[in-house]
Amino acid sequence: MKPTREILADILEEVRPLIGQGKVADYIPALAKVPNTKLGIAVFTNQGEVIKAGDADEGFSIQSISKALGLTLAMSLYKPEEIWARVGKEPSGQAFNSMIQLEMEQGIPRNPFINAGAIVVADLLHSRLSAPRHRLLEFVRQLSGEDHIVYDKVVAASEMMHSDRNAAIAYLMRSFGNFENDVIPVLANYFHACALKMNCVDLAKTFSYLANKGVSVQTGKQIITPMQTKQLNALLATCGLYDGAGEFAYRVGMPGKSGVGGGIIAIVPGEMSIAVWSPELDASGNSLAGTKALELLSERIGRSIF
Amino acid sequence: MKPTREILADILEEVRPLIGQGKVADYIPALAKVPNTKLGIAVFTNQGEVIKAGDADEGFSIQSISKALGLTLAMSLYKPEEIWARVGKEPSGQAFNSMIQLEMEQGIPRNPFINAGAIVVADLLHSRLSAPRHRLLEFVRQLSGEDHIVYDKVVAASEMMHSDRNAAIAYLMRSFGNFENDVIPVLANYFHACALKMNCVDLAKTFSYLANKGVSVQTGKQIITPMQTKQLNALLATCGLYDGAGEFAYRVGMPGKSGVGGGIIAIVPGEMSIAVWSPELDASGNSLAGTKALELLSERIGRSIF
Amino acid sequence: MKPTREILADILEEVRPLIGQGKVADYIPALAKVPNTKLGIAVFTNQGEVIKAGDADEGFSIQSISKALGLTLAMSLYKPEEIWARVGKEPSGQAFNSMIQLEMEQGIPRNPFINAGAIVVADLLHSRLSAPRHRLLEFVRQLSGEDHIVYDKVVAASEMMHSDRNAAIAYLMRSFGNFENDVIPVLANYFHACALKMNCVDLAKTFSYLANKGVSVQTGKQIITPMQTKQLNALLATCGLYDGAGEFAYRVGMPGKSGVGGGIIAIVPGEMSIAVWSPELDASGNSLAGTKALELLSERIGRSIF
Amino acid sequence: MKPTREILADILEEVRPLIGQGKVADYIPALAKVPNTKLGIAVFTNQGEVIKAGDADEGFSIQSISKALGLTLAMSLYKPEEIWARVGKEPSGQAFNSMIQLEMEQGIPRNPFINAGAIVVADLLHSRLSAPRHRLLEFVRQLSGEDHIVYDKVVAASEMMHSDRNAAIAYLMRSFGNFENDVIPVLANYFHACALKMNCVDLAKTFSYLANKGVSVQTGKQIITPMQTKQLNALLATCGLYDGAGEFAYRVGMPGKSGVGGGIIAIVPGEMSIAVWSPELDASGNSLAGTKALELLSERIGRSIF
C-alpha cells in the first residue's frame, strides 16, 4: 500500500498518547524548551511526491541526524580505506558517548554515528575542506532545495558551552594519534552541524539519495555511488539508532538515524525517505513517539527491508 | 539477475585464493581436522529451485548457525515478552563469549546470537519441551526434508569437554536469576545443537522460511508469522555475525548467521535463502571466503536489503 | 599506651550508636538472622595476654577472614612462585566478586583475598592435601588452642545453595587453565572455610603469628617465616578489606581482613593481634562499627603501621 | 641495624646488573635521553643525618613523586571532606592513566596518585592559591633547604606537547562537574610539578616530615598533623606505586611514591626517609633497580612497616 496523507495523520493520532511518557533532551536549554507536543511526519517518494502530516513544516534541531550528512560528505571526499582506517563499522553496544570502549579500542571509534566517530568524520572534513561549515550548509540546501535552512546559532553556542565530554573524546583520540586538527575548531563545526535547523519535509528531501541508489530525487544529481548508498544504509541499519539499533530494526526494519532533538530519518530503499519528529526521547535517546510512528507506518504500508 | 550454477561456480573460483589467509577453528579437535580447502555454496529460491556449486553436498558442523534454529523454536513456544525479558535485541560490541558485558548488564545477554543469549534460549526450550534435543532434530529434518541429518556425537562430546567458559556463563546468569534449569543438561543440549551436521543444501532449504514470510518453501508450512520473520531477520542483520555484523551488512547486506565450522546462511527476503561453507575464519570468527562469496553474489545478482 | 579492658569497653560504647546505620549480610538466611546488636572485641598481645570486651566470646561465621588462613596454609605447602603464578598481589579496584577483571586478566585473580583468588588458593590446597577440609580445621584449632571450633554446617550448606556466582568464577578460571580440580568439591571446601564458627578471642589468638614474625604466640610454633609474615601482612594491608582497603589503611592503619559475617582481624606487627565483631556492614562489605572500633583503638593506643 | 654508607654502596652494586632489563621512559624526548646507567640512593634520618651512595647528588625529573607534594599542600589548605569528596582513597587496579575507571566512577578519580587524581589536586590548588606554581617551588625549596631546585623548563614544555591524554582526563572530569578551572593552565602547573628537577638527597630531605609525624626534620616546622601524616603514608602504601603497589608492599613494605623519571621515595615511619634513582622502569612504570634496592635495604636494616 502507498502512504497517503490519511495514513500519516491516523498514525500521528495513534502515537500521540505516548507524549508524556518520554523525556525531552535537557542537557542544553535550547533543546529543553522545545514543546513536547510537537509531532510531525513527512514522506518523500522516489517519484518526487511529498506526503506529510502534523508539524512537518516546523523546523527543529536535527542533532545527530547530521552525522549521516557528515559521513556522506566524507565518503565523497575520501577513499574508503582512508575513512575506515580511522573509524569502525560495528555497533557499539555502549551508550553513544562512552569513552570506555574508545580507550579499549585504542582511539578508533566503533562507528561513525557515535559521537567519537562523528567527531573523527568532522576532523576528516576539516583536513580536506577549506570551509567545512559553509560547505555542509550549502550541501544541505542543495539536497533539500530549501535555502531557508540555517544553523541555529543559539543551539550551536549552547552545545559549545557543554562540550567538555566531547572535548575529552577528541583529546583521547588525539592521544592515540587519531585526530589531526586542533580540537576546538573541529568541535565548533561538529556542533554547528548538530545545530542545523530543518523540518521533516527538508529532511525527507535531503536524504532521498539514500532511497534512490545515491541520486538525489530533488536535484537529480548522483551524490554517492549505488555501492556507497548500500554501504551507508547498512551502517545506518546496524549503528544509526545509538544503543537501540537492534530494537529499531526489530520493530521498524528500515535504515535510520535519530537525533536527540526528537527527529528520525528512515529509508525504504528504492521507494521513499521518511522523517518524523517528536521531541520526547526513550531510554536509548531515540524519539519515543517517532519510533512508534515509523513502526506503524512500516506495518500499514507493508514496507521494511526484511 | 538470477543466480545460476555458473555464477556460483565462478564466485567459488574467485574466492578460492583466500584459502590460506584465515584460520580453521581449533578449540576442539573435531573442528581442527576439517580440511581447509572445502568450499561450497547453495541457493534455495522461493520457487523451490536448488542451485549449488562446490562442496555443497558435504556435511559440516553448523555450530552457531543453530542459534537461529533454537530461537525460531522458542519464538513458536513463547510469547515475545517472555523471551525478550530474558535476552536483549542489541548488538553486543564485544567478543561472542565475553562475560564482561553479561556482568555489567546483570545477567541479561545482549542478544540471542551470542553464546550467553543462545544458552538462555536453550534454557527456555528446556523448560517447555519434554525432549528438546529430539525436538530440534525433528524440526531440522522437517524443514530440510532430509532425514539423514544427525548430531555429530564426536563434536558434541568434544564441546562438552571444553565447556568451562559456557558453564561459567550459565552459572553467572543463574546467579542473576536468569537461568531456570540445571546447567549441565542445558549445556548438553546446546552443544548438541551446535554439533548438527548439515550441508549447504540442507541449510539453504532449512532456512527458506526466513525468505518466505515464515512459510517453509520445502514443506509449505507456516513456521513463524510474517511479523516474527521480519523480526528474526532484523536480529540476524544486526547481531548475526558476532562482532562483524556491521562489516557483513556493509559488504553483503543480507540478514545472516555464521558458525565457527565455517558455514554462513544468508537471506534475501522474498527471494531466496543461501548457504556457504569454507572452514577458515576471519578475526571475528566468520568464514573468510564464505563472506567474500556472499559479497560477490550480492554484487552479481544485484540483491541486498539496502 | 597499652590496650586495657576499660579502653576496649569505652570504644564499644562509643561505636554502638552506629548500629542501625549498616546492613547485615542477607544473601543467605543463616547470616541474615544474626542479631545486628552483637558487638565484641578481643586483643591478644605478643605476651599472651587476652583483653576483651562485649560479645567477644560468642561465635560467628568468620566468612572471608578464612581467606587469610587458607593462604597461610598454601604458603606453607607451596613455593612462592607456584602460588604467585596463579594469583596476583595487587588490589582489585573492583567489587570482591567481579568477573569483569577476572576475564580481562585472563583468569588470574588480582589477589588472594577476592573470591576468585581465594578459590584458586582452595584449588591449590585441594591439589596438595589429602583432606583439606579436615586439615584447615585442625590448623585453626591448634592456632587458637580451642577444640570447640567447628564448621557451621547450616551456613556451609546455605552457601552451597547460593554458589552460582562462585561456580561461574571457578569455571571461568578453568577455561583459562587456572583451575586444576573439579569445581564442586573445591567450592565445598571453600564454603566450609567461610563457615568456620569462631569468636573474637579465638580469632585474635589464631592470627597471633602475624604479629609475631610468624611464630604463634599460643603454641610457640613457627607457622610461616618472618619474611612470609611480612609479605602476608603487606597483602592484608593492600588487599584485605575488599574495595575499602585504602579507606581502612587511611583510618585504621593496620593490616587486616574482614568477613561479611561482620568480623575483622587486624594486626599491630610486633605487638598484638585484634579481632572485632559487629554484623552490620558498610557499602564495601566491611563491618561498619567494627572498622570504627579499630580506628578508635588505633588512636587511643597510638598504634598503626604508618 | 642502621643504614651506613657501606650498606648503601653494596646494595647499589648488587642491583646494578638489573640495568638493561628495564626500559627508560620515552614518551617525551627529555626523559628518553637520560643515561640508563644512573643509580643513586640517599637516606635522611630523623636525626638529620644524610647517608648516600652513587649518583645521589645528580638531579633528575621527579615526575609523579610530585603528586605526594601536591597532595600535602592541598591537605594544608583544605578540610579533609573537601578533598575526599572529589577524589577517592582506593587503589585503582588499572593503569595509571586509564579513563575507563574514571568514566565508570562518574569523574571521581580512585586516588590522588593516579593522573586523574593528581590533576584534581592541581585543580584544588589552582582554586585556592594565587600562584600555585610559585608556591609549590617555594614549598619544596623550604622542605629540602635547597634553593638550587628548579622546574626543568624543557621537560615541562615537552610534557605540555604530549598532553592530549591528560587533557582528555581533565575534560572528562569537567563533564562530570569535578573540575573547577580552565583545563590548560591547571595542566601547565601539573606538568611543571612533574618537571621538578631534584636529586636523591633533596628528595629524602623534602619528605622527612612523612617519617617524623608531620614535622620536617630539615626545618623543624609542622607541615601536616600527625594524623594527616599517618593518612598520607597509608595512601602511599596502598596507592603510591601505580598498579604495582601490592608488589611493592610485599617486597619492600614501606609507604612510597614512584615517578617515571626512575625515582622512588620511601618512608620508614619514626626513623627515616629514603630516595633512590635508576631510570629504567619495570612493566608497572616503577624503577626496576630502584625497587630492588629498597627491597634489599629493607632486608639489610630489618625495617618495614609490617
Side-chain angles (χ1 to χ4, degrees):
Chain A
M1 191 185 298
K2 254 179 52 83
T4 62
R5 205 211 152 314
E6 290 67 40
I7 289 176
L8 298 187
D10 284 355
I11 286 171
L12 292 194
E13 289 326 297
E14 202 163 333
V15 304
R16 202 178 293 277
L18 288 175
I19 294 173
Q21 298 180 30
K23 196 169 167 334
V24 175
D26 58 1
Y27 71 101
I28 56 169
L31 290 180
K33 71 181 185 201
V34 175
N36 67 337
T37 53
K38 295 295 176 183
L39 184 62
I41 187 166
V43 170
F44 189 56
T45 69
N46 282 10
Q47 290 70 44
E49 186 185 4
V50 172
I51 309 146
K52 64 186 178 181
D55 304 314
D57 295 304
E58 182 164 342
F60 58 90
S61 190
I62 73 165
Q63 294 291 320
S64 293
I65 297 175
S66 65
K67 291 170 179 169
L69 292 168
L71 181 59
T72 301
L73 259 186
M75 288 173 91
S76 71
L77 292 167
Y78 283 92
K79 290 181 199 151
E81 61 271 25
E82 291 173 320
I83 296 173
W84 306 117
R86 295 189 52 193
V87 58
K89 305 189 197 92
E90 297 303 327
S92 71
Q94 302 265 346
F96 67 96
N97 55 2
S98 169
M99 301 191 71
I100 292 173
Q101 202 167 50
L102 189 58
E103 178 170 0
M104 282 190 175
E105 304 197 350
Q106 306 278 305
I108 306 294
R110 277 239 131 193
N111 67 64
F113 302 135
I114 54 173
N115 284 14
I119 291 170
V120 159
V121 170
D123 186 52
L124 283 163
L125 297 180
H126 203 90
S127 294
R128 191 127 324 166
L129 294 172
S130 58
R133 198 184 301 176
H134 180 74
R135 177 73 187 91
L136 183 71
L137 186 58
E138 190 184 66
F139 183 56
V140 175
R141 287 177 172 180
Q142 288 171 346
L143 284 171
S144 64
E146 297 289 350
D147 282 351
H148 72 88
I149 296 171
V150 292
Y151 291 123
D152 184 326
K153 293 289 179 190
V154 175
V155 171
S158 190
E159 301 273 10
M160 205 68 202
M161 297 276 291
H162 295 80
S163 63
D164 288 335
R165 177 170 276 263
N166 286 313
I169 287 170
Y171 277 110
L172 181 60
M173 294 194 292
R174 216 160 84 142
S175 78
F176 281 114
N178 193 22
F179 202 87
E180 294 172 349
N181 300 285
D182 282 344
V183 165
I184 302 303
V186 172
L187 286 185
N189 287 341
Y190 169 73
F191 288 132
H192 271 79
C194 293
L196 275 170
K197 190 168 183 175
M198 298 172 70
N199 62 41
C200 288
V201 174
D202 299 336
L203 281 167
K205 286 182 177 173
T206 294
F207 285 101
S208 67
Y209 63 97
L210 288 177
N212 194 35
K213 296 185 183 298
V215 176
S216 168
V217 175
Q218 179 69 24
T219 68
K221 280 200 196 154
Q222 187 88 37
I223 307 304
I224 47 176
T225 68
M227 172 73 88
Q228 287 176 318
T229 308
K230 171 186 164 181
Q231 293 166 343
L232 192 35
N233 280 331
L235 292 167
L236 290 170
T238 52
C239 317
L241 279 284
Y242 305 129
D243 203 20
E247 182 76 20
F248 190 83
Y250 179 90
R251 288 172 49 199
V252 177
M254 303 177 187
K257 183 75 206 82
S258 60
V260 292
I264 308 177
I265 59 114
I267 303 299
V268 182
E271 304 204 37
M272 69 190 82
S273 47
I274 309 163
V276 288
W277 176 44
S278 172
E280 289 187 2
L281 309 178
D282 64 20
S284 298
N286 300 311
S287 174
L288 183 69
T291 302
K292 186 67 186 173
L294 290 169
E295 182 181 0
L296 294 177
L297 181 63
S298 166
E299 283 174 31
R300 299 291 153 80
I301 63 172
R303 294 292 187 285
S304 89
I305 59 174
F306 299 116
Chain B
M1 190 185 298
K2 254 179 51 82
T4 63
R5 203 212 153 315
E6 290 67 39
I7 289 176
L8 297 187
D10 284 356
I11 286 171
L12 291 194
E13 289 326 297
E14 202 162 331
V15 304
R16 202 178 293 276
L18 288 176
I19 294 172
Q21 298 179 31
K23 195 167 168 337
V24 175
D26 59 2
Y27 71 102
I28 56 169
L31 290 180
K33 70 180 186 202
V34 176
N36 67 337
T37 52
K38 296 294 177 185
L39 184 61
I41 187 166
V43 170
F44 189 55
T45 69
N46 284 9
Q47 290 70 44
E49 188 186 2
V50 172
I51 311 146
K52 63 185 179 182
D55 304 314
D57 294 306
E58 183 164 341
F60 58 91
S61 190
I62 72 165
Q63 294 291 321
S64 292
I65 296 175
S66 65
K67 292 170 178 168
L69 292 169
L71 181 58
T72 301
L73 260 187
M75 288 173 91
S76 71
L77 293 167
Y78 283 92
K79 290 182 200 149
E81 61 271 24
E82 291 172 322
I83 297 173
W84 305 117
R86 295 190 52 193
V87 56
K89 305 189 196 93
E90 297 303 326
S92 71
Q94 302 264 346
F96 65 96
N97 56 2
S98 169
M99 301 190 72
I100 294 173
Q101 202 167 49
L102 189 58
E103 179 170 0
M104 283 189 175
E105 305 196 351
Q106 305 279 304
I108 306 294
R110 277 241 131 193
N111 67 63
F113 301 136
I114 54 173
N115 283 15
I119 292 169
V120 159
V121 170
D123 186 52
L124 283 164
L125 297 179
H126 203 91
S127 295
R128 190 127 326 166
L129 294 172
S130 58
R133 198 184 302 177
H134 179 74
R135 177 72 188 92
L136 183 72
L137 186 58
E138 192 184 62
F139 183 55
V140 174
R141 287 178 172 180
Q142 288 172 345
L143 284 171
S144 63
E146 298 289 350
D147 281 351
H148 73 87
I149 297 171
V150 292
Y151 292 122
D152 184 327
K153 293 288 180 189
V154 175
V155 171
S158 190
E159 301 273 8
M160 206 67 202
M161 297 277 291
H162 294 80
S163 63
D164 288 334
R165 177 171 276 263
N166 287 314
I169 287 171
Y171 276 109
L172 182 59
M173 294 194 292
R174 215 159 85 142
S175 78
F176 282 113
N178 193 22
F179 202 88
E180 293 171 348
N181 300 287
D182 282 345
V183 166
I184 302 303
V186 172
L187 286 184
N189 287 342
Y190 169 74
F191 289 132
H192 271 79
C194 292
L196 276 170
K197 190 168 185 177
M198 298 171 72
N199 62 39
C200 288
V201 174
D202 299 336
L203 281 168
K205 286 181 179 175
T206 295
F207 286 101
S208 66
Y209 63 96
L210 289 176
N212 193 37
K213 296 184 183 299
V215 176
S216 168
V217 175
Q218 180 68 25
T219 68
K221 279 199 197 156
Q222 188 88 37
I223 308 303
I224 47 175
T225 68
M227 172 74 87
Q228 286 176 318
T229 307
K230 171 185 164 181
Q231 292 166 344
L232 191 37
N233 280 330
L235 292 167
L236 290 170
T238 52
C239 316
L241 279 282
Y242 304 131
D243 203 19
E247 183 77 19
F248 190 82
Y250 179 91
R251 288 172 51 198
V252 177
M254 302 176 189
K257 184 73 208 81
S258 59
V260 294
I264 307 177
I265 59 112
I267 304 298
V268 182
E271 305 203 37
M272 68 190 81
S273 47
I274 309 164
V276 289
W277 176 42
S278 171
E280 288 187 1
L281 308 179
D282 64 20
S284 298
N286 300 313
S287 174
L288 184 70
T291 302
K292 185 68 185 172
L294 290 170
E295 182 182 359
L296 293 177
L297 181 63
S298 167
E299 282 174 32
R300 298 291 152 82
I301 64 172
R303 294 291 187 286
S304 89
I305 59 173
F306 299 117
Chain C
M1 190 185 297
K2 251 178 55 78
T4 63
R5 204 216 153 311
E6 290 68 38
I7 288 176
L8 297 187
D10 284 355
I11 286 171
L12 292 194
E13 289 324 299
E14 203 163 331
V15 305
R16 202 177 293 276
L18 289 175
I19 294 171
Q21 298 179 29
K23 194 167 168 341
V24 175
D26 59 2
Y27 71 101
I28 57 170
L31 290 180
K33 71 182 185 199
V34 175
N36 66 337
T37 52
K38 296 294 177 183
L39 184 62
I41 187 166
V43 171
F44 188 56
T45 70
N46 283 9
Q47 290 70 45
E49 187 185 2
V50 171
I51 310 145
K52 64 186 179 181
D55 304 314
D57 295 305
E58 182 164 342
F60 58 90
S61 190
I62 72 166
Q63 294 291 320
S64 293
I65 297 175
S66 64
K67 291 171 179 170
L69 291 168
L71 180 59
T72 301
L73 259 187
M75 289 173 89
S76 72
L77 293 167
Y78 283 91
K79 292 182 198 150
E81 61 271 24
E82 292 172 320
I83 297 173
W84 306 118
R86 295 191 51 193
V87 57
K89 305 189 196 93
E90 297 304 327
S92 70
Q94 302 265 346
F96 66 96
N97 56 3
S98 168
M99 301 190 71
I100 293 173
Q101 201 166 51
L102 189 58
E103 179 170 1
M104 282 190 175
E105 305 197 350
Q106 305 278 303
I108 306 294
R110 278 241 129 192
N111 67 63
F113 301 136
I114 54 173
N115 283 14
I119 292 169
V120 158
V121 170
D123 185 52
L124 283 164
L125 297 179
H126 203 91
S127 295
R128 190 126 328 165
L129 294 172
S130 58
R133 197 184 302 178
H134 178 76
R135 177 73 188 91
L136 183 72
L137 185 59
E138 189 184 66
F139 183 57
V140 174
R141 287 177 170 180
Q142 287 172 347
L143 285 171
S144 64
E146 297 290 350
D147 282 351
H148 73 87
I149 297 171
V150 292
Y151 292 121
D152 185 326
K153 293 289 180 189
V154 174
V155 171
S158 190
E159 301 273 10
M160 206 66 201
M161 297 275 293
H162 295 79
S163 63
D164 288 333
R165 176 170 277 263
N166 286 313
I169 287 171
Y171 277 108
L172 182 59
M173 295 194 292
R174 217 160 83 142
S175 77
F176 282 112
N178 193 23
F179 202 88
E180 293 171 349
N181 300 287
D182 283 345
V183 166
I184 302 303
V186 172
L187 285 185
N189 287 341
Y190 169 74
F191 288 131
H192 271 81
C194 292
L196 275 169
K197 189 168 185 177
M198 298 172 70
N199 62 41
C200 288
V201 175
D202 298 336
L203 281 168
K205 286 181 176 173
T206 294
F207 286 101
S208 67
Y209 63 97
L210 288 177
N212 194 37
K213 296 183 183 298
V215 177
S216 168
V217 176
Q218 179 69 24
T219 68
K221 280 201 194 152
Q222 188 88 38
I223 308 301
I224 47 176
T225 69
M227 172 71 88
Q228 287 176 318
T229 307
K230 171 185 164 182
Q231 292 166 344
L232 192 37
N233 280 329
L235 292 168
L236 290 170
T238 52
C239 316
L241 278 282
Y242 304 130
D243 203 19
E247 182 77 20
F248 190 82
Y250 179 91
R251 287 171 52 196
V252 176
M254 303 177 187
K257 185 75 206 80
S258 59
V260 293
I264 308 177
I265 60 111
I267 305 298
V268 182
E271 305 204 37
M272 68 190 82
S273 47
I274 309 163
V276 288
W277 175 42
S278 172
E280 287 187 3
L281 309 178
D282 64 20
S284 297
N286 300 312
S287 173
L288 182 71
T291 302
K292 186 68 186 172
L294 290 168
E295 181 181 0
L296 293 176
L297 181 63
S298 166
E299 283 174 32
R300 298 293 151 80
I301 64 172
R303 293 291 188 285
S304 89
I305 59 173
F306 298 116
Chain D
M1 189 185 296
K2 253 178 54 77
T4 63
R5 205 217 152 311
E6 290 66 40
I7 289 176
L8 296 187
D10 284 356
I11 286 171
L12 292 194
E13 290 326 299
E14 203 163 330
V15 304
R16 202 177 293 278
L18 288 176
I19 294 173
Q21 298 179 30
K23 194 165 168 340
V24 175
D26 59 2
Y27 71 101
I28 57 169
L31 290 179
K33 71 182 186 200
V34 175
N36 66 336
T37 53
K38 296 295 177 183
L39 185 62
I41 187 167
V43 170
F44 188 57
T45 69
N46 283 9
Q47 290 69 46
E49 187 186 2
V50 171
I51 311 146
K52 63 185 180 182
D55 305 314
D57 295 305
E58 183 163 340
F60 58 90
S61 190
I62 72 166
Q63 293 292 320
S64 292
I65 297 174
S66 64
K67 290 170 179 168
L69 292 168
L71 180 59
T72 301
L73 260 186
M75 288 172 90
S76 72
L77 293 167
Y78 283 91
K79 290 182 200 150
E81 61 271 25
E82 291 172 322
I83 297 173
W84 305 117
R86 295 190 50 193
V87 57
K89 306 188 195 95
E90 297 303 327
S92 70
Q94 303 265 345
F96 65 95
N97 55 4
S98 168
M99 301 189 72
I100 293 173
Q101 201 166 52
L102 189 58
E103 178 170 1
M104 282 190 176
E105 305 197 349
Q106 305 278 303
I108 305 295
R110 277 241 130 193
N111 67 63
F113 301 137
I114 54 173
N115 284 15
I119 291 170
V120 159
V121 170
D123 185 53
L124 283 163
L125 297 179
H126 203 90
S127 294
R128 191 133 317 171
L129 294 172
S130 58
R133 198 185 300 178
H134 179 76
R135 177 72 188 91
L136 183 72
L137 185 59
E138 190 184 65
F139 183 58
V140 174
R141 286 177 171 179
Q142 287 171 346
L143 285 171
S144 64
E146 297 290 351
D147 282 351
H148 72 87
I149 296 171
V150 292
Y151 291 122
D152 184 326
K153 292 289 179 188
V154 174
V155 171
S158 190
E159 301 272 11
M160 206 66 201
M161 297 276 292
H162 295 79
S163 63
D164 288 334
R165 177 171 276 263
N166 287 313
I169 288 170
Y171 276 109
L172 182 59
M173 294 194 292
R174 217 160 83 142
S175 77
F176 282 113
N178 193 22
F179 202 87
E180 293 172 350
N181 300 286
D182 283 344
V183 165
I184 302 304
V186 172
L187 286 185
N189 287 342
Y190 169 74
F191 288 131
H192 271 80
C194 292
L196 275 169
K197 189 169 186 176
M198 298 172 70
N199 62 39
C200 288
V201 174
D202 298 336
L203 280 168
K205 287 181 176 173
T206 294
F207 285 101
S208 67
Y209 63 96
L210 289 177
N212 193 37
K213 294 184 184 300
V215 176
S216 168
V217 175
Q218 180 68 24
T219 69
K221 280 200 195 153
Q222 188 88 38
I223 307 302
I224 47 176
T225 69
M227 172 73 87
Q228 287 176 319
T229 307
K230 171 187 164 181
Q231 292 166 344
L232 192 36
N233 280 330
L235 292 167
L236 290 170
T238 51
C239 316
L241 278 285
Y242 303 130
D243 202 20
E247 182 77 21
F248 190 82
Y250 180 91
R251 288 171 50 197
V252 177
M254 302 176 188
K257 184 75 207 79
S258 59
V260 292
I264 307 177
I265 60 113
I267 304 298
V268 183
E271 304 204 38
M272 69 190 81
S273 47
I274 309 164
V276 289
W277 176 43
S278 172
E280 288 186 3
L281 309 178
D282 64 19
S284 297
N286 300 313
S287 174
L288 183 70
T291 302
K292 186 67 185 173
L294 290 169
E295 182 181 0
L296 293 176
L297 182 63
S298 167
E299 282 174 31
R300 299 291 151 80
I301 64 173
R303 293 293 187 285
S304 89
I305 58 173
F306 298 116

